[in-house]
Amino acid sequence: MEAKELAIKIAKILYDKKAMDIDVLQVGHRTVITDYLVIASGRSFPQVRSLMDEVEDKLAEEQIFPARKEGMQEARWGVIDYNYVMVHIFHKQDRELYKLDALWADANNKVDLGFEQNEEE
């Protein structure tokens, strides 16, 4: 599976699990760490953990496993590293604090997900 396809698949998994504010950013032109960032928010700490588990479980069903993962215990900001795609799932307040989207976004790197997100409840 290509990196962009994997990033969009992860975004869809998060969308189906009711994540908020899902963004996929192509960042390979700005860093050697990864090609795509998937960034999403959860409404609560249990939801952040649940979103992380869901991504990992759904991809494991397809024999896709992370290289590393961090933040599972506290569930304020979790990272799952799939090498070419790095997934960041934040508690809403922490995402607003760290502004990872603003750090990595530029005029041309936001990926069209192919689905419309619901407004925040």
Side-chain angles (χ1 to χ4, degrees):
M1 179 177 304
E2 291 192 24
K4 182 177 181 179
E5 182 182 358
L6 178 59
I8 292 171
K9 176 186 258 327
I10 292 168
K12 182 70 169 111
I13 290 167
L14 292 167
Y15 173 80
D16 290 344
K17 193 73 172 172
K18 308 293 186 216
M20 298 184 308
D21 303 324
I22 305 163
D23 283 322
V24 174
L25 303 174
Q26 182 180 19
V27 296
H29 62 291
R30 297 183 67 190
T31 182
V32 296
I33 296 170
T34 191
D35 290 336
Y36 290 88
L37 293 178
V38 179
I39 305 169
S41 300
R43 292 171 179 82
S44 65
F45 301 127
Q47 187 189 22
V48 170
R49 183 174 290 117
S50 176
L51 291 167
M52 292 177 68
D53 290 342
E54 185 77 359
V55 168
E56 196 170 359
D57 292 347
K58 291 287 186 186
L59 293 181
E61 291 173 5
E62 298 184 39
Q63 302 300 304
I64 301 170
F65 302 100
R68 292 172 267 313
K69 57 187 174 183
E70 296 291 333
M72 297 292 277
Q73 292 299 91
E74 290 186 32
R76 295 187 67 87
W77 175 6
V79 179
I80 309 172
D81 182 357
Y82 287 99
N83 294 315
Y84 298 105
V85 178
M86 193 168 292
V87 184
H88 293 266
I89 304 173
F90 288 90
H91 183 274
K92 183 182 173 200
Q93 293 170 336
D94 290 288
R95 184 170 179 180
E96 291 170 3
L97 175 67
Y98 291 106
K99 297 180 184 338
L100 197 62
D101 311 63
L103 179 66
W104 289 101
D106 62 34
N108 303 314
N109 70 339
K110 191 167 183 178
V111 175
D112 179 22
L113 300 178
F115 57 85
E116 297 237 355
Q117 297 185 56
N118 296 325
E119 293 295 319
E120 183 180 331
E121 296 175 1

